[in-house]
């Protein structure tokens, strides 16, 4: 087995390990635990399908980040979607979304992070996901559109796990996301907890909020609100002039240790991005572990690397996973280093742009 195969096997094992941990930590909540164990069984089946395709020379990632819309009801400072993913092209139809989710399921892509814009700004989204009970959908949402009707629909689709965005304390969240947003997010969390739904939070780690959001009291407050999944995502300065929000090197160096400590300390599941990839041989983008599909159906290496040579409006997911751009990035994964704990492809965006120009020149 090659080193790369070892890394990807370890990545697959870590996904199953995540469900086993979640199952143990959700033991006190039977409905949540049943949903987690059901997802665990589906993940094992999907991992088998990925291995089968692997033997046929098709590399299938476990994850996909699917931006289902560019629309959003908020306008946050430093919004990467607004900075990197502007387009006039039509968004994928519900039918198109169903087609690609169906194909991803058959290939073994078992976790599809729903993103945007604000995914719940698409009123047909929960009709589309209803047809895919075996895919786990972490739903990255600003939380302000989670009303009683949405909670009722999520109660019938327990394979969707809402991940609500927070920036720190009320002052920090409202400062970036708008007045009253922090309170709306906490109210949405209380609705989800009352419905015994598994949910979590996504926290963008910046130089400013680092001390707040890495304090045990902050996490304990959310755990007491029944929040059980924590994504710590290091800020990427997609908007020029916001570099001073990026974590300092000493801060970046402590993230992995903090996450490890929280995993031992709390009844929750914690992940740092980027940063948690070293143990799997480095950046997992470009299909190694995940790909990004933007709202108009283009397949990109990562949300922070808006370059594409493959559109799902013209080809299958299987064909797109073998696109020249994704392959050249996978082949050079080892060289694409990033030193400050940030996003490798963001740091090497000129290199990615040059590879795209090369692949496009070859096609012409
Ligand atoms: S909620 Fe998300 S997509 Fe909407 S403006 Fe804020 S950061 Fe951007």
């Amino acid at each position: 087995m090659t080193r790369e195969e070892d890394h990807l096997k370890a990545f697959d094992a870590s996904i199953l390990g995540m469900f086993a941990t979640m199952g143990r930590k959700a033991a006190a909540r039977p409905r949540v635990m049943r949903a987690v164990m059901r997802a665990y069984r589906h993940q094992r089946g999907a991992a088998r399908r990925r291995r089968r395709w692997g033997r046929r020379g098709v590399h299938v990632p476990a994850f996909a980040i699917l931006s289902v819309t560019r629309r959003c009801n908020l306008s946050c400072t430093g919004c990467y979607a607004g900075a990197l993913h502007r387009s006039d092209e039509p968004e994928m139809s519900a039918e198109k979304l169903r087609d690609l989710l169906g194909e991803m399921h058959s290939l073994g892509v078992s976790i599809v992070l729903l993103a945007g814009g604000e995914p719940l700004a698409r009123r047909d989204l929960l009709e589309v996901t209803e047809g895919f009970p075996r895919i786990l959908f972490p739903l990255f949402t600003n939380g302000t559109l989670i009303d009683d009707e949405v909670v009722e629909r999520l109660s019938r689709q327990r394979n969707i796990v809402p991940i609500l965005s927070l920036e720190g304390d009320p002052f920090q969240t409202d400062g970036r996301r708008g007045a009253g947003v922090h309170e709306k997010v906490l109210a949405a969390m209380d609705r989800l907890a009352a419905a015994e739904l598994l949910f979590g939070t996504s926290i963008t780690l910046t130089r400013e909020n680092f001390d707040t959001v890495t304090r045990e009291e902050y996490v304990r407050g959310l755990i007491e609100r029944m929040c059980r999944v924590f994504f710590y995502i290091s800020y990427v300065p997609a908007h020029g002039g916001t570099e001073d929000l990026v974590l300092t090197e000493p801060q970046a160096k402590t993230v992995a240790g903090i996450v490890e400590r929280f995993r031992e300390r709390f009844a929750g599941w914690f992940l740092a991005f980027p940063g948690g990839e070293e143990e799997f041989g480095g950046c997992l983008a470009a299909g190694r572990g995940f790909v990004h599909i933007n709202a108009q159906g283009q397949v990109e290496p990562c949300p922070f690397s808006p370059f594409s040579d493959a559109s799902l409006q013209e080809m299958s997911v299987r064909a797109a996973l073998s696109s020249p751009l994704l392959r050249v990035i996978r082949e050079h994964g080892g060289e694409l280093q990033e030193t400050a704990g940030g996003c490798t492809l963001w740091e090497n965006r000129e290199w990615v742009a040059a590879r795209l120009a090369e692949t496009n020149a070859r096609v012409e």
Side-chain angles (χ1 to χ4, degrees), residues 253-297:
K253 284 204 160 57
T254 61
V255 173
I258 289 166
V259 163
E260 200 44 50
R261 183 161 47 82
F262 287 166
R263 282 177 182 158
E264 281 148 22
R265 186 92 182 66
F266 293 110
W269 185 73
F270 295 81
L271 179 94
F273 180 85
E277 300 141 311
E278 270 70 24
E279 61 186 296
F280 309 116
C283 177
L284 288 163
R288 278 194 77 231
F290 70 89
V291 285
H292 176 235
I293 300 168
N294 67 24
Q296 55 272 22

Side-chain angles (χ1 to χ4, degrees), residues 42 44-54 105-108:
H42 297 330
R44 290 176 68 94
R48 279 195 295 275
R49 289 195 298 284
R50 289 196 294 274
R51 284 196 293 276
R52 263 202 306 276
W53 281 105
H105 175 64
S106 66
L107 288 168

Side-chain angles (χ1 to χ4, degrees), residues 72 74-76 79 81 116-118 142 176-177:
C72 186
L74 299 183
S75 46
C76 307
C79 165
E118 169 48 44
N142 63 39
R176 180 162 183 232
R177 294 178 164 267

Side-chain angles (χ1 to χ4, degrees), residues 339-356:
T339 54
C343 171
T344 304
L345 291 185
W346 176 258
E347 294 295 324
N348 294 284
R349 53 195 179 280
E350 275 136 31
W351 182 91
V352 178
R355 301 293 82 71
L356 179 62

Side-chain angles (χ1 to χ4, degrees), residues 15-46 48 133-134 136 158-159 161 198:
I15 294 170
L16 294 177
M18 167 183 85
F19 285 91
T21 307
M22 280 305 294
R24 266 197 317 280
K25 291 190 174 184
R29 305 166 72 202
R31 294 178 82 178
V32 172
M33 175 136 96
R34 278 198 299 278
V36 171
M37 296 328 288
R38 208 170 21 248
Y40 176 74
R41 286 194 299 278
H42 297 330
Q43 295 301 319
R44 290 176 68 94
R48 279 195 295 275
R134 293 168 178 260
L136 180 78
R158 287 175 174 265
N159 57 318
V161 181
L198 179 64

Side-chain angles (χ1 to χ4, degrees), residues 267-342:
W269 185 73
F270 295 81
L271 179 94
F273 180 85
E277 300 141 311
E278 270 70 24
E279 61 186 296
F280 309 116
C283 177
L284 288 163
R288 278 194 77 231
F290 70 89
V291 285
H292 176 235
I293 300 168
N294 67 24
Q296 55 272 22
Q298 292 161 321
V299 178
E300 301 169 341
C302 170
F304 297 116
S305 186
F307 303 98
S308 180
D309 62 346
S311 169
L312 298 174
Q313 306 285 14
E314 294 146 20
M315 65 179 74
S316 68
V317 175
R318 182 178 158 194
L321 289 172
S322 304
S323 88
L325 180 65
L326 294 188
R327 262 188 295 137
V328 74
I329 294 172
R330 289 200 292 265
E331 286 152 12
H332 289 77
E335 296 142 56
L336 292 173
Q337 291 308 321
E338 194 290 320
T339 54

Side-chain angles (χ1 to χ4, degrees), residues 43-166:
Q43 295 301 319
R44 290 176 68 94
R48 279 195 295 275
R49 289 195 298 284
R50 289 196 294 274
R51 284 196 293 276
R52 263 202 306 276
W53 281 105
R55 286 193 290 275
R56 293 170 63 183
V58 180
H59 177 74
V60 179
F63 283 79
I65 302 170
L66 176 59
S67 292
V68 294
T69 183
R70 294 183 298 272
R71 285 167 279 150
C72 186
N73 60 321
L74 299 183
S75 46
C76 307
T77 314
C79 165
Y80 82 86
L84 300 179
H85 296 286
R86 290 175 192 280
S87 168
D88 301 326
E89 284 184 48
E91 295 179 348
M92 289 181 281
S93 65
E95 192 198 349
K96 183 71 199 173
L97 287 175
R98 286 192 181 93
D99 289 349
L100 70 88
L101 286 170
E103 189 191 353
M104 287 205 277
H105 175 64
S106 66
L107 288 168
V109 179
S110 54
I111 302 173
V112 176
L113 284 70
L114 299 170
E118 169 48 44
L120 290 172
R122 265 197 90 133
R123 303 304 291 176
D124 59 359
L125 179 64
L126 299 181
E127 275 144 43
V128 170
T129 53
E130 221 157 26
F132 303 94
R134 293 168 178 260
I135 293 180
L136 180 78
F137 292 110
L139 170 70
F140 280 69
T141 169
N142 63 39
T144 62
L145 300 179
I146 297 182
D147 55 19
D148 293 339
E149 189 227 332
V150 168
V151 170
E152 199 279 321
R153 298 184 72 182
L154 291 171
S155 302
R156 289 186 267 120
Q157 297 189 55
R158 287 175 174 265
N159 57 318
I160 300 180
V161 181
I163 307 290
L164 291 74
S165 303
L166 283 173

